[in-house]
mmCIF file of all heavy atoms in Angstrom:
data_model
loop_
_atom_site.group_PDB
_atom_site.id
_atom_site.type_symbol
_atom_site.label_atom_id
_atom_site.label_comp_id
_atom_site.label_asym_id
_atom_site.label_seq_id
_atom_site.Cartn_x
_atom_site.Cartn_y
_atom_site.Cartn_z
ATOM 1 N N GLU L 1787 -26.030 44.236 79.067
ATOM 2 C CA GLU L 1787 -25.798 42.903 78.645
ATOM 3 C C GLU L 1787 -25.140 42.939 77.209
ATOM 4 O O GLU L 1787 -25.156 43.961 76.611
ATOM 5 C CB GLU L 1787 -27.135 42.128 78.600
ATOM 6 C CG GLU L 1787 -28.009 42.195 79.886
ATOM 7 C CD GLU L 1787 -27.375 41.443 81.058
ATOM 8 O OE1 GLU L 1787 -26.406 40.712 80.715
ATOM 9 O OE2 GLU L 1787 -27.708 41.704 82.178
ATOM 10 N N ASP L 1788 -24.620 41.795 76.740
ATOM 11 C CA ASP L 1788 -23.990 41.732 75.458
ATOM 12 C C ASP L 1788 -25.233 41.534 74.379
ATOM 13 O O ASP L 1788 -25.528 40.342 74.161
ATOM 14 C CB ASP L 1788 -23.107 40.635 75.459
ATOM 15 C CG ASP L 1788 -22.334 40.592 74.133
ATOM 16 O OD1 ASP L 1788 -22.337 41.632 73.333
ATOM 17 O OD2 ASP L 1788 -21.729 39.540 73.731
ATOM 18 N N GLY L 1789 -25.671 42.565 73.904
ATOM 19 C CA GLY L 1789 -26.780 42.410 72.835
ATOM 20 C C GLY L 1789 -27.049 43.786 72.291
ATOM 21 O O GLY L 1789 -26.395 44.760 72.444
ATOM 22 N N PRO L 1790 -28.202 43.835 71.457
ATOM 23 C CA PRO L 1790 -28.596 45.079 70.840
ATOM 24 C C PRO L 1790 -28.989 46.105 71.864
ATOM 25 O O PRO L 1790 -29.452 45.720 73.045
ATOM 26 C CB PRO L 1790 -29.624 44.748 69.880
ATOM 27 C CG PRO L 1790 -30.248 43.419 70.462
ATOM 28 C CD PRO L 1790 -29.040 42.744 71.134
ATOM 29 N N VAL L 1791 -29.058 47.346 71.513
ATOM 30 C CA VAL L 1791 -29.539 48.390 72.497
ATOM 31 C C VAL L 1791 -30.479 49.321 71.790
ATOM 32 O O VAL L 1791 -30.506 49.535 70.549
ATOM 33 C CB VAL L 1791 -28.192 49.256 72.915
ATOM 34 C CG1 VAL L 1791 -27.549 49.898 71.708
ATOM 35 C CG2 VAL L 1791 -28.502 50.191 73.972
ATOM 36 N N SER L 1792 -31.352 49.907 72.606
ATOM 37 C CA SER L 1792 -32.267 50.943 72.118
ATOM 38 C C SER L 1792 -32.549 52.003 73.168
ATOM 39 O O SER L 1792 -32.122 51.751 74.395
ATOM 40 C CB SER L 1792 -33.632 50.333 71.738
ATOM 41 O OG SER L 1792 -34.268 49.843 72.904
ATOM 42 N N LEU L 1793 -33.157 53.118 72.786
ATOM 43 C CA LEU L 1793 -33.500 54.160 73.767
ATOM 44 C C LEU L 1793 -35.040 53.963 74.060
ATOM 45 O O LEU L 1793 -35.842 53.845 73.142
ATOM 46 C CB LEU L 1793 -33.284 55.548 73.123
ATOM 47 C CG LEU L 1793 -31.836 55.992 72.933
ATOM 48 C CD1 LEU L 1793 -31.789 57.340 72.414
ATOM 49 C CD2 LEU L 1793 -31.134 56.032 74.340
ATOM 50 N N SER L 1794 -35.283 53.749 75.316
ATOM 51 C CA SER L 1794 -36.701 53.375 75.783
ATOM 52 C C SER L 1794 -37.223 54.569 76.676
ATOM 53 O O SER L 1794 -36.460 55.001 77.583
ATOM 54 C CB SER L 1794 -36.752 52.072 76.495
ATOM 55 O OG SER L 1794 -36.225 50.962 75.648
ATOM 56 N N ARG L 1795 -38.473 54.812 76.482
ATOM 57 C CA ARG L 1795 -39.121 55.739 77.275
ATOM 58 C C ARG L 1795 -39.723 54.998 78.584
ATOM 59 O O ARG L 1795 -40.446 54.058 78.288
ATOM 60 C CB ARG L 1795 -40.271 56.508 76.635
ATOM 61 C CG ARG L 1795 -41.015 57.495 77.506
ATOM 62 C CD ARG L 1795 -42.235 58.034 76.749
ATOM 63 N NE ARG L 1795 -41.948 58.734 75.493
ATOM 64 C CZ ARG L 1795 -41.570 60.049 75.495
ATOM 65 N NH1 ARG L 1795 -41.587 60.789 76.597
ATOM 66 N NH2 ARG L 1795 -41.394 60.662 74.292
ATOM 67 N N CYS L 1796 -39.532 55.505 79.716
ATOM 68 C CA CYS L 1796 -40.165 54.922 80.915
ATOM 69 C C CYS L 1796 -41.190 55.844 81.498
ATOM 70 O O CYS L 1796 -40.983 57.111 81.396
ATOM 71 C CB CYS L 1796 -39.116 54.538 81.963
ATOM 72 S SG CYS L 1796 -37.979 53.315 81.302
ATOM 73 N N SER L 1797 -42.205 55.342 82.102
ATOM 74 C CA SER L 1797 -43.407 56.224 82.539
ATOM 75 C C SER L 1797 -43.261 56.825 83.859
ATOM 76 O O SER L 1797 -44.156 57.292 84.396
ATOM 77 C CB SER L 1797 -44.540 55.319 82.316
ATOM 78 O OG SER L 1797 -44.413 54.198 83.321
ATOM 79 N N CYS L 1798 -42.045 56.664 84.381
ATOM 80 C CA CYS L 1798 -41.919 57.311 85.862
ATOM 81 C C CYS L 1798 -41.971 58.745 85.980
ATOM 82 O O CYS L 1798 -42.205 59.286 86.946
ATOM 83 C CB CYS L 1798 -40.696 56.708 86.442
ATOM 84 S SG CYS L 1798 -39.186 57.392 85.772
ATOM 85 N N CYS L 1799 -41.730 59.383 84.732
ATOM 86 C CA CYS L 1799 -41.680 60.863 84.816
ATOM 87 C C CYS L 1799 -42.589 61.467 83.856
ATOM 88 O O CYS L 1799 -43.337 60.859 83.278
ATOM 89 C CB CYS L 1799 -40.122 61.288 84.461
ATOM 90 S SG CYS L 1799 -38.875 60.429 85.359
ATOM 91 N N GLU L 1800 -42.494 62.823 83.790
ATOM 92 C CA GLU L 1800 -43.380 63.524 82.814
ATOM 93 C C GLU L 1800 -43.027 63.013 81.426
ATOM 94 O O GLU L 1800 -41.992 62.786 81.052
ATOM 95 C CB GLU L 1800 -43.024 65.016 82.881
ATOM 96 C CG GLU L 1800 -44.096 65.906 82.223
ATOM 97 C CD GLU L 1800 -43.741 66.121 80.782
ATOM 98 O OE1 GLU L 1800 -42.530 66.283 80.447
ATOM 99 O OE2 GLU L 1800 -44.705 66.240 79.935
ATOM 100 N N VAL L 1801 -44.130 62.890 80.685
ATOM 101 C CA VAL L 1801 -44.068 62.135 79.339
ATOM 102 C C VAL L 1801 -43.062 62.654 78.443
ATOM 103 O O VAL L 1801 -42.384 61.866 77.661
ATOM 104 C CB VAL L 1801 -45.349 62.002 78.757
ATOM 105 C CG1 VAL L 1801 -45.849 63.441 78.178
ATOM 106 C CG2 VAL L 1801 -45.418 61.003 77.599
ATOM 107 N N ARG L 1802 -42.827 64.000 78.347
ATOM 108 C CA ARG L 1802 -41.861 64.537 77.414
ATOM 109 C C ARG L 1802 -40.542 64.984 78.016
ATOM 110 O O ARG L 1802 -39.878 65.687 77.458
ATOM 111 C CB ARG L 1802 -42.514 65.676 76.671
ATOM 112 C CG ARG L 1802 -43.618 65.186 75.686
ATOM 113 C CD ARG L 1802 -44.141 66.223 74.786
ATOM 114 N NE ARG L 1802 -45.080 65.766 73.907
ATOM 115 C CZ ARG L 1802 -46.469 65.733 74.184
ATOM 116 N NH1 ARG L 1802 -46.874 66.191 75.340
ATOM 117 N NH2 ARG L 1802 -47.430 65.281 73.331
ATOM 118 N N SER L 1803 -40.380 64.510 79.248
ATOM 119 C CA SER L 1803 -39.188 64.989 79.932
ATOM 120 C C SER L 1803 -37.983 64.129 79.451
ATOM 121 O O SER L 1803 -38.127 62.863 79.271
ATOM 122 C CB SER L 1803 -39.368 64.831 81.393
ATOM 123 O OG SER L 1803 -38.045 64.932 82.129
ATOM 124 N N PRO L 1804 -36.790 64.661 79.354
ATOM 125 C CA PRO L 1804 -35.594 63.747 79.025
ATOM 126 C C PRO L 1804 -35.244 62.796 80.118
ATOM 127 O O PRO L 1804 -34.562 61.906 79.917
ATOM 128 C CB PRO L 1804 -34.512 64.871 78.740
ATOM 129 C CG PRO L 1804 -34.913 66.021 79.470
ATOM 130 C CD PRO L 1804 -36.411 66.135 79.557
ATOM 131 N N LEU L 1805 -35.739 63.043 81.362
ATOM 132 C CA LEU L 1805 -35.606 62.129 82.353
ATOM 133 C C LEU L 1805 -36.229 60.808 82.136
ATOM 134 O O LEU L 1805 -36.044 59.827 83.013
ATOM 135 C CB LEU L 1805 -35.956 62.750 83.722
ATOM 136 C CG LEU L 1805 -35.283 64.092 84.127
ATOM 137 C CD1 LEU L 1805 -35.794 64.568 85.419
ATOM 138 C CD2 LEU L 1805 -33.786 63.963 84.052
ATOM 139 N N SER L 1806 -37.137 60.682 81.138
ATOM 140 C CA SER L 1806 -37.962 59.518 81.029
ATOM 141 C C SER L 1806 -37.206 58.475 80.115
ATOM 142 O O SER L 1806 -37.658 57.276 80.017
ATOM 143 C CB SER L 1806 -39.189 59.837 80.138
ATOM 144 O OG SER L 1806 -39.921 60.740 80.948
ATOM 145 N N TRP L 1807 -35.952 58.789 79.557
ATOM 146 C CA TRP L 1807 -35.349 57.957 78.643
ATOM 147 C C TRP L 1807 -34.158 57.294 79.243
ATOM 148 O O TRP L 1807 -33.390 57.777 80.144
ATOM 149 C CB TRP L 1807 -34.935 58.735 77.458
ATOM 150 C CG TRP L 1807 -35.993 59.316 76.604
ATOM 151 C CD1 TRP L 1807 -36.693 60.401 76.782
ATOM 152 C CD2 TRP L 1807 -36.729 58.482 75.526
ATOM 153 N NE1 TRP L 1807 -37.735 60.583 75.836
ATOM 154 C CE2 TRP L 1807 -37.661 59.441 75.071
ATOM 155 C CE3 TRP L 1807 -36.441 57.335 74.890
ATOM 156 C CZ2 TRP L 1807 -38.541 59.044 74.055
ATOM 157 C CZ3 TRP L 1807 -37.254 57.038 73.837
ATOM 158 C CH2 TRP L 1807 -38.273 57.842 73.446
ATOM 159 N N THR L 1808 -33.939 55.997 78.848
ATOM 160 C CA THR L 1808 -32.644 55.216 79.229
ATOM 161 C C THR L 1808 -32.505 54.193 78.065
ATOM 162 O O THR L 1808 -33.247 54.002 77.190
ATOM 163 C CB THR L 1808 -32.977 54.535 80.467
ATOM 164 O OG1 THR L 1808 -31.777 53.967 80.922
ATOM 165 C CG2 THR L 1808 -34.012 53.388 80.339
ATOM 166 N N SER L 1809 -31.223 53.690 78.139
ATOM 167 C CA SER L 1809 -30.850 52.744 77.134
ATOM 168 C C SER L 1809 -31.122 51.298 77.781
ATOM 169 O O SER L 1809 -30.959 51.135 78.904
ATOM 170 C CB SER L 1809 -29.387 52.856 76.812
ATOM 171 O OG SER L 1809 -28.608 52.639 77.941
ATOM 172 N N SER L 1810 -31.691 50.410 76.848
ATOM 173 C CA SER L 1810 -32.027 49.046 77.280
ATOM 174 C C SER L 1810 -32.074 48.241 76.086
ATOM 175 O O SER L 1810 -31.633 48.528 74.984
ATOM 176 C CB SER L 1810 -33.418 49.146 77.985
ATOM 177 O OG SER L 1810 -34.449 49.346 77.073
ATOM 178 N N SER L 1811 -32.454 46.931 76.223
ATOM 179 C CA SER L 1811 -32.532 45.997 75.214
ATOM 180 C C SER L 1811 -33.806 46.323 74.377
ATOM 181 O O SER L 1811 -34.846 46.669 74.978
ATOM 182 C CB SER L 1811 -32.535 44.579 75.655
ATOM 183 O OG SER L 1811 -31.314 44.235 76.279
ATOM 184 N N PRO L 1812 -33.832 46.116 73.089
ATOM 185 C CA PRO L 1812 -35.070 46.489 72.252
ATOM 186 C C PRO L 1812 -36.172 45.573 72.676
ATOM 187 O O PRO L 1812 -36.036 44.358 72.753
ATOM 188 C CB PRO L 1812 -34.580 46.284 70.804
ATOM 189 C CG PRO L 1812 -33.054 46.418 70.869
ATOM 190 C CD PRO L 1812 -32.631 45.907 72.158
ATOM 191 N N THR L 1813 -37.335 46.183 72.710
ATOM 192 C CA THR L 1813 -38.603 45.367 72.936
ATOM 193 C C THR L 1813 -39.728 45.852 72.114
ATOM 194 O O THR L 1813 -40.790 46.462 72.514
ATOM 195 C CB THR L 1813 -38.916 45.525 74.399
ATOM 196 O OG1 THR L 1813 -39.193 46.947 74.672
ATOM 197 C CG2 THR L 1813 -37.900 44.929 75.430
ATOM 198 N N PRO L 1814 -39.654 45.688 70.820
ATOM 199 C CA PRO L 1814 -40.732 46.128 69.876
ATOM 200 C C PRO L 1814 -41.984 45.383 70.253
ATOM 201 O O PRO L 1814 -41.950 44.140 70.384
ATOM 202 C CB PRO L 1814 -40.154 45.913 68.512
ATOM 203 C CG PRO L 1814 -39.147 44.831 68.611
ATOM 204 C CD PRO L 1814 -38.545 45.039 69.979
ATOM 205 N N HIS L 1815 -43.108 46.147 70.127
ATOM 206 C CA HIS L 1815 -44.517 45.587 70.431
ATOM 207 C C HIS L 1815 -44.551 44.927 71.821
ATOM 208 O O HIS L 1815 -45.453 44.170 72.080
ATOM 209 C CB HIS L 1815 -44.839 44.498 69.329
ATOM 210 C CG HIS L 1815 -45.542 45.136 68.139
ATOM 211 N ND1 HIS L 1815 -46.690 45.737 68.274
ATOM 212 C CD2 HIS L 1815 -45.176 45.041 66.833
ATOM 213 C CE1 HIS L 1815 -47.148 46.151 67.107
ATOM 214 N NE2 HIS L 1815 -46.269 45.786 66.165
ATOM 215 N N ARG L 1816 -43.625 45.369 72.802
ATOM 216 C CA ARG L 1816 -43.713 44.940 74.229
ATOM 217 C C ARG L 1816 -43.452 46.198 75.091
ATOM 218 O O ARG L 1816 -42.855 47.169 74.611
ATOM 219 C CB ARG L 1816 -42.779 43.787 74.455
ATOM 220 C CG ARG L 1816 -43.231 42.519 73.739
ATOM 221 C CD ARG L 1816 -42.254 41.367 74.110
ATOM 222 N NE ARG L 1816 -40.957 41.467 73.399
ATOM 223 C CZ ARG L 1816 -39.719 41.514 74.006
ATOM 224 N NH1 ARG L 1816 -39.735 41.305 75.313
ATOM 225 N NH2 ARG L 1816 -38.657 41.615 73.246
ATOM 226 N N ASP L 1817 -43.811 45.960 76.233
ATOM 227 C CA ASP L 1817 -43.501 47.040 77.259
ATOM 228 C C ASP L 1817 -41.940 47.223 77.397
ATOM 229 O O ASP L 1817 -41.218 46.325 77.405
ATOM 230 C CB ASP L 1817 -44.068 46.823 78.684
ATOM 231 C CG ASP L 1817 -45.593 46.808 78.643
ATOM 232 O OD1 ASP L 1817 -46.143 47.656 77.726
ATOM 233 O OD2 ASP L 1817 -46.235 46.167 79.371
ATOM 234 N N ASN L 1818 -41.573 48.499 77.524
ATOM 235 C CA ASN L 1818 -40.083 48.786 77.679
ATOM 236 C C ASN L 1818 -39.462 48.260 78.830
ATOM 237 O O ASN L 1818 -40.137 48.104 79.954
ATOM 238 C CB ASN L 1818 -39.840 50.319 77.530
ATOM 239 C CG ASN L 1818 -40.284 50.889 76.095
ATOM 240 O OD1 ASN L 1818 -40.421 50.085 75.194
ATOM 241 N ND2 ASN L 1818 -40.521 52.143 76.099
ATOM 242 N N LEU L 1819 -38.187 47.984 78.748
ATOM 243 C CA LEU L 1819 -37.489 47.589 80.007
ATOM 244 C C LEU L 1819 -36.907 48.816 80.645
ATOM 245 O O LEU L 1819 -36.170 49.685 80.031
ATOM 246 C CB LEU L 1819 -36.167 46.720 79.539
ATOM 247 C CG LEU L 1819 -36.545 45.336 79.019
ATOM 248 C CD1 LEU L 1819 -35.290 44.662 78.575
ATOM 249 C CD2 LEU L 1819 -37.174 44.474 80.056
ATOM 250 N N CYS L 1820 -37.352 49.057 81.894
ATOM 251 C CA CYS L 1820 -37.013 50.255 82.675
ATOM 252 C C CYS L 1820 -36.491 49.956 83.960
ATOM 253 O O CYS L 1820 -36.634 48.765 84.521
ATOM 254 C CB CYS L 1820 -38.344 51.064 82.863
ATOM 255 S SG CYS L 1820 -39.047 51.731 81.319
ATOM 256 N N PRO L 1821 -35.624 50.860 84.588
ATOM 257 C CA PRO L 1821 -35.093 50.586 85.885
ATOM 258 C C PRO L 1821 -36.182 50.223 86.856
ATOM 259 O O PRO L 1821 -37.247 50.802 86.912
ATOM 260 C CB PRO L 1821 -34.469 51.890 86.209
ATOM 261 C CG PRO L 1821 -34.175 52.579 84.938
ATOM 262 C CD PRO L 1821 -35.216 52.129 83.958
ATOM 263 N N SER L 1822 -35.901 49.235 87.717
ATOM 264 C CA SER L 1822 -36.948 48.709 88.652
ATOM 265 C C SER L 1822 -36.446 48.693 90.068
ATOM 266 O O SER L 1822 -35.215 48.601 90.313
ATOM 267 C CB SER L 1822 -37.263 47.227 88.205
ATOM 268 O OG SER L 1822 -38.212 46.703 89.216
ATOM 269 N N ALA L 1823 -37.377 48.928 91.010
ATOM 270 C CA ALA L 1823 -36.955 48.899 92.405
ATOM 271 C C ALA L 1823 -36.520 47.449 92.831
ATOM 272 O O ALA L 1823 -35.870 47.379 93.820
ATOM 273 C CB ALA L 1823 -38.156 49.335 93.232
#
Side-chain angles (χ1 to χ4, degrees):
E1787 309 291 343
D1788 184 15
V1791 64
S1792 68
L1793 291 178
S1794 299
R1795 182 192 293 277
C1796 296
S1797 58
C1798 66
C1799 311
E1800 194 271 326
V1801 69
R1802 292 188 178 88
S1803 169
L1805 304 182
S1806 303
W1807 293 89
T1808 187
S1809 60
S1810 66
S1811 299
T1813 57
H1815 270 301
R1816 290 181 288 129
D1817 292 333
N1818 295 341
L1819 291 178
C1820 297
S1822 171

